[in-house]
Amino acid sequence: MITVFYAPEVSEYLNNLIDILYENDYFGHRESAKKYVVDLRNEIELSLPVLTPRLPRYRRKVYGKHTKFVIIRKNRHTSYYIFFLQKANKYIVTYIGNNHTDAKYL
């Protein structure tokens, strides 16, 4: 059984993402933005065990020494970088970035 945990700052980011997406007119309704974030969480939990993880080449001190990441592409314009630590079948998501903010550091 696979278990995915989220660091407190990641949970906060996901909660804030709903407001960011709605307030910046990416979605016309708050419920649509909320569904997008719920779908992102579900996709993270399904994808972590099956996608091939990568190691960040840069900013290892920021992401953590044993941190790996996977890329989840949500649409043509946005990909999310999901950074995590893994021990057996337990994952802890330590950071989420996207191609608009973090691509230059990978």
Side-chain angles (χ1 to χ4, degrees), residues 36 39-40 43 72-76 78-80:
Y36 179 87
D39 289 346
L40 176 60
E43 196 165 348
I72 295 177
R73 188 175 174 108
K74 287 300 285 179
N75 58 49
R76 285 185 357 197
T78 306
S79 297
Y80 287 94

Side-chain angles (χ1 to χ4, degrees), residues 20-102:
I20 292 166
L21 293 171
Y22 176 70
E23 291 167 5
N24 289 308
D25 295 322
Y26 289 103
F27 292 94
H29 301 283
R30 188 173 297 279
E31 284 302 313
S32 299
K34 183 177 181 180
K35 182 183 181 321
Y36 179 87
V37 172
V38 168
D39 289 346
L40 176 60
R41 275 184 93 122
N42 290 336
E43 196 165 348
I44 290 168
E45 292 170 17
L46 292 172
S47 298
L48 281 180
V50 296
L51 293 177
T52 302
R54 303 175 187 196
L55 296 173
R57 293 181 302 207
Y58 307 106
R59 297 180 74 181
R60 295 281 310 224
K61 290 180 183 176
V62 173
Y63 299 128
K65 185 176 181 181
H66 301 287
T67 300
K68 302 173 190 173
F69 75 98
V70 295
I71 300 171
I72 295 177
R73 188 175 174 108
K74 287 300 285 179
N75 58 49
R76 285 185 357 197
H77 304 289
T78 306
S79 297
Y80 287 94
Y81 303 103
I82 313 302
F83 291 83
F84 63 94
L85 297 169
Q86 177 186 3
K87 187 166 186 173
N89 288 332
K90 295 182 182 178
Y91 297 81
I92 182 162
V93 178
T94 57
Y95 179 78
I96 297 178
N98 63 44
N99 58 301
H100 303 291
T101 58
D102 289 277

